[in-house]
Amino acid sequence: MQKIVEPCKRIENNGNIKILLKGTNIDHVEFELPEIRGFENILIKKKVHDIPRIASRICGLCHASQAIVSNKVIEDMYGITPPSQSIILRRILLIGELIKSHIMHYFFQSFPDLLKIINFYEISNPYELMQFDPQLTSSVFDLIKLGSEIDKIFGGRYVHLITCISGGVIYKPSQLNINLIRKLLQKGSSHAKYLIGNFIKLFSTKTPPISFDLPKINYLGLSNHGFYDRYKGKIVIKNYKNQLYFSEKDYQSYFNKDIGIFGVTFHQNNNIGLITGPIAREKINQISVIERIAPYFKTINENWNNSILFQNFLELIEVDHEIHQCLKLLNDDSLNKCYDLPDLGEIQKSEGIGVVEAPRGLLMHHYKIDQNESVIQAKLFIATEINIPLMNFMTLQYARNLYKKEAIDKVKKKIAQMIRAFDPCISCATH
Amino acid sequence: MEVYSTLSHPFRRKILYLLDREGYIKYSEIMEKLGLDLTGQLNFHLKKLGSLIGKERKSYYLTEDGKRILNIMNLNNRILAGEEIENLISQGSDLNRIGIIVCNCNEEISNIINVNNLLNELKNLKNVVSVRLFENLCQEINLEKVSNWVKENFLNKIVIAACSPKSHEHIIKHMFEDLVENINIEFANIREQCCWAHPNHKIQLNPLIIARKAYLLIEAAVERVILQGVIKIKRIEVEKSCAIFGGGIAGMTLALNLARAGIKVYLIEKSPTLGGKIARWHRISNMGDCSICFISELIGEIVKRDEIEIHTNTEINKISGELGNFNIELIKKPRYVDAKRCTGCLQCIEICGNETLNEYDFELTKRKIIHFPFSNCYPYVPLITDQDIGKCKECRICERACLNKAINLDQKIKNFQIRVGVKVIAIGADLFSNLHDNCYDPTNNIITSAEFERILSSDGLTGGKLVRLSDNRLINSISIIQEIGPSDYVCEYSDDIALKYLEDIKIRNPECEVNIFYDLSKLKNNQDLLLRFTHPKFIYANNVSVEIGNGVNYVIADYIEFPSDLIVLNQKMVPNKDLVNLRKTLDFTFNENGFMSTETLASGVYGVGSILGPMNYRSTISSANTIALKIISLLSNDYLIADLTGININEEKCGLCGLCIKSCPFSAITLDLDKIKIDRFKCKGCGSCVCSCPTGALEMNIDSTEKIMRTIEVFSKSKMNPKILIFACESCGYAAADDAGLKKLAYPPSVFIIKVPCAGRVDSEFILYSLKSGFDGIMVIGCRENSCNYIDGISQAKNRIDLLRENVEPEIRKRIILLNLNSIEGKKFSDSVNSFHKLLLMEV
Amino acid sequence: MELKILIISMTSCSGCISTLFSLDIFPQFFEKTKIAYFPFITDEEKLDIYDIALIEGCITQESQIRLIQEVRRAAKKVYSLGSCAAFGGIINLSKKKEGEPLSNYIEVDGIIPGCPPPSSLFGNCLINLLENKMIKLSNKNQCYSCPLRDGLDYEYKTKITDLIPNNRDFNSTQNPKCFLTRGILCLGPVTREGCENKCIIRGMPCEGCLGSPSKSLYSNIYNFLSLLNLSDDLKTYKGIFYRYSKPLLIKR
């Protein structure tokens, strides 16, 4: 048996593609994480107030989701609700994070792949990529900046926000800042439009390779009464014929995990039958039916619908959608009002659970604490952790097919494309 | 130094360099190459070079001397680079020419290790120019040899490998006094802490191992001396004068003492007269005189002395400067009578129609608004207080009545300044005055001891007769209740006062019954009291109370009633109420009872008399005498130099967090207008602040962080295991280690000792860095908790090490130990080190 | 001449790289240099020769040691990016794992500290690197530029009981006082200045992510906390001491 280990490039953080060759067959393909950093362990014995600041450090891309979900758990345990102003601010912070994360993934990691797979156009380094369409490049930089500035202004800095605390957000936005962000968003909206148009122009009429098609699977995500909402809602597991709705408090009836060990176990489904993230969000909440967005979908060749590569398009759609959402939120009256942050007071429950949709999908934290307000158990459910089994399954199929015709070096390169299409967040996954 | 001056001119250096490079050069060529056109100049330089160059057949060449100098100074490259020698000399540290002396100490060293091998190894150390062996360095016959050696080799830094610096440092530093700077001498303690401490260890030791340790000790000393930089010395001209605040008995006695030694004294009194509290007293215990006579005599002497300048009615406005040179701004309040014109005729007082309560008699009598505070007061000039001046300005009768035109009701405040070398506070104490609990009521014959003094005094309330204030009836029974006031301390003189009263009462009325009570329940340390001399009239009761009766009052002591015509409450001395305010301008600290703490006696502020605590007359005088000696010796210097062992601040790094202020045991560090200011005379060089400074802005002049870290690195090269590093405070831990060596109590040679000024200097960084560099165990040895030379240095160290130990992994926790020893506990030292070594041996 | 740049991650959260993309000068930095090896966005497989290497994250594995040693050989200048690379980072809060700074294995030419590096400091560092200058960090601590320093009690008497302010404190419109006089632990005094006191201005105390201006952060924390009147549960709270570095990594 021959083992091939190759670092996968153009993904967030480090991960290896591991291929086991048995004679002329590929026996096994796995995306290998470097190690688990052990945040579930790190959180033990830490004071409750300190947790969100530490949890944020799980990931530099999904930092806001991590901090906010952590705060939600604590608020659950103390039985408090943040003022409506803080909730709006949290939603805005999540939006900033999503814009930056999606655009970075789309442009730097996936876009060259799409050009190659769909249009057979080779791009070998970022400088070629930037020259491919200068207007696209400048739009991308502007959108990254937009996401960053939202988080910096409302959160205190670009990454690992300062203002997100249990009970709300320490920030009373000034009209000046609101106007500034509004202007940036309006500009961002046209950039997003350009990006979508560009995608449609380049790829909409083409057909993605069949190997990238998803098998019959279940979709996991949040849904606020059937609407797209990444801050609150019920957990949904949905497949082509039925769907389950349940509160995050009851998650243990559906799935669970062992602390310190990688992977989430679903009781009713095999693990490779699940996906979370933009595709799941679309399948569950269907932003494609929103009036403003629907025309974009109509232009896309139907064959895209079931491809993992469709995630790239959905990322752009989500960016566009959330920019509009954000503009609405900025007009909300309660943003200008002065609300007091609630005192944490006495602890109500020794256990708490919180959930949000991070850019890459469902993110859930579950803590248990003792009387001294120190954590005694922490479980972290991470989107990438949920997606990796499916990703491994698909890459194995793909690799086996490829290996019949192509040399192993080419196989490695091609399955890397598929991995990138899944947009794995290694930092989160190695929590 | 002569060579330095020869080489100080760039032309001369260039000549040497040219000669070195080209061998023989003609006069005209030198001219050309130097770019000179005046022969006189060149001749001057050639002459200056003296024996370093020679002349042969019209050409110049480098003599053997010249070659040697060039070689020794290793100057060839430096000349090329055009570096200025003056600069090098002024930078000091840049030029390291180190000499090592190994002292054999009557073969004590060579008996254990091979000294010749050691010497040979040392020669290879960086920057070491010469290594010499002496049999007994500390003997004076070596002085000349040492001097020649230093000069011949152009040494500027010296390492002495010999006995402990604690034993001979002063002799050796004296020996090198004119040769190298004191700060550039380092010691390697190869006797007490190496050759004497290891050979008797149970396991037979290879002498090479001991030699290796000696080598490392010396290498570390070399590294340290290399790192020693130049210290800027702070020099202050001493203003040979003294300001004394308070013109009571303490202040006056001190003033007289200093004046007799020829020191200019400014005697500054807040009230209008000298004399202080004692002026009101009837007499002083065990002294025949009436106190006012006694004071008059003292004042008489003071007035005669030209050296003493008296300022009554004067207060402090602002003080600046430091020990040796203070600038004090004073405010003189108006007296409304011109002292120069007044003849003391009493006209004004007789004519004055306004009366007020007389505070001199505790407001039990009345006086005129214009008045003498008391008879025989000094200055003998009447005055009007500021409270009354309003009334006077409406009346102005006295102004018209004064024949000498001495009265000026429009007198203004006068500001003036003085410069002094030291300041003394002698404002005395207050008497406890919160007497509610004791039914104090002078109209009902329950009075204070101070008022009783006024009854006994012949110019007092009753003209010296022992009669009741309420009805003028003769007093037949008196109860004196002692120690009225705070329960935390006892006034030692209270017995004396009671006995004085007893005597005075018996003179006036031999029939009078006198009882003296102590209430033990009101005294925390009542056993101290019981151990003192007791008198049959003293009654020590567990509970003493006063009960008011009809015409007669009772003292009830443990349920027994004592009817008393008069009850005297003997008040305790309590801290002067002005002390708290004075602290803002004068720099001192309080002791636990709120008096001035004696610990502050070093910053140019002294306290005398009862400002330091309850004192009787004799203690006051003796405290004044002691302080006088200190001041005289201090002011006998023409200038003061701050201690070199102190600290320096680099303002570029200072972030003004003030942690140094918090950690300084001597309050030597203060914040002054967004700048950290160090009082170099208060600083004792413990290094606690350097340890607490997070930015490295503070650094010690001698025991710098860099030096200690480098020493750790050198010691960590030892290959013996398990290695132990000890940080020992100079006065106790290090001395205890020496004591162990002296007693030849053995411990393993893998134990290394670093001397620090105080355990408070031991930075967490040192401990963690040592462990990281491969030491298996760390000991910090400081003084016993209550005997730290630097007040709380050891407790700061304890807090730090406790916190550190609690937060490192358990297996590391075992490896860090804090020990308290005193300097003669050599046995305990070696025992502790050996058992620690054993513990680590099992671990490794 | 364009500078050839290498940017890689060790064990990290990618937050420093994420911050890099957010910087105002990032587009210019991108254009003016040649980012030749950056697994986040390039496919390059083999190491070449580089002018500048920025390494994010701490060392937790053998293979990483080999990699950074290779990078050291391949790059003229190597800089630690972020507190993980500079000091070891947040992973040291774990009982089971230890993250070591790069400097434990290779010589680094400078650090860009912070979790994440403050944008202005990061930006200035990049500009310095482009101009071939050394990275310059402040020698002072947070207090120096702290807006709350006026309220600092130089006797440090207040009992320190909390890690973050009570939520009520954020509601008051009054100017807040120094955290240490409010009983909240702020590591500002032992932390390097250079983030424009971002956390403090937003109402949160300093956590010490920029490291110390002299000595190591953990030594300074011990020295500092031993002077404070600290409540017992904080005295042993590992979250303070091991937040961005671990004092001792025993490798025997």
Side-chain angles (χ1 to χ4, degrees), chain B residues 651-663 671 674 676 690-697 705 762-766 768-769 771-772 774-776 796 799-801 803-809 811-813 815 844, chain C residues 95 98 104 139-145 149 152-157 189-191 212-230 232 234-238 241-242 246-250 252:
Chain B
E651 270 152 19
E652 304 249 298
K653 292 184 176 176
C654 177
L656 302 169
C657 63
L659 287 171
C660 48
I661 300 174
K662 161 86 179 168
S663 70
L671 186 75
D674 271 5
I676 291 290
V690 178
C691 191
S692 68
C693 177
T695 64
T705 306
V762 182
D763 201 311
S764 318
E765 180 90 341
F766 298 161
L768 296 169
Y769 186 70
L771 287 167
K772 212 171 170 182
F775 281 94
D776 300 285
Q796 283 191 32
N799 287 346
R800 196 178 305 134
I801 291 167
L803 191 72
L804 183 95
R805 293 187 69 226
E806 272 182 58
N807 285 289
V808 291
E809 314 291 333
E811 65 263 33
I812 298 175
R813 190 170 306 153
R815 299 166 188 269
V844 174
Chain C
K95 263 192 161 176
E98 282 166 351
N104 279 9
N139 286 327
K140 294 181 168 164
N141 49 5
Q142 292 275 322
C143 298
Y144 188 70
S145 50
R149 176 154 57 83
L152 177 58
D153 161 29
Y154 281 98
E155 301 205 359
Y156 287 98
K157 267 193 198 139
V190 295
T191 306
S212 266
S214 90
K215 304 184 214 168
S216 44
L217 177 63
Y218 44 78
S219 303
N220 269 330
I221 294 180
Y222 290 133
N223 296 340
F224 169 51
L225 295 191
S226 69
L227 287 171
L228 295 184
N229 179 6
L230 200 65
D232 285 341
L234 288 186
K235 266 186 193 159
T236 50
Y237 184 59
K238 299 283 185 286
F241 298 96
Y242 297 164
K246 190 163 232 171
L248 257 195
L249 301 159
I250 289 210
R252 283 170 199 276

Side-chain angles (χ1 to χ4, degrees), chain B residues 595-610:
Chain B
F595 289 97
M596 181 179 172
S597 160
T598 44
E599 294 291 356
T600 12
L601 294 186
S603 55
V605 183
Y606 297 89
V608 291
S610 49

Side-chain angles (χ1 to χ4, degrees), chain C residues 198-209:
Chain C
K198 275 204 174 74
C199 295
I200 294 167
I201 285 170
R202 291 294 176 114
M204 294 292 271
C206 177
E207 298 176 86
C209 74

Side-chain angles (χ1 to χ4, degrees), chain B residues 698-713:
Chain B
L698 287 173
E699 188 49 282
M700 296 209 79
N701 286 334
I702 306 282
D703 294 293
S704 67
T705 306
E706 203 185 357
K707 273 187 179 181
I708 294 175
M709 299 287 265
R710 190 74 196 105
T711 308
I712 296 170
E713 277 168 29

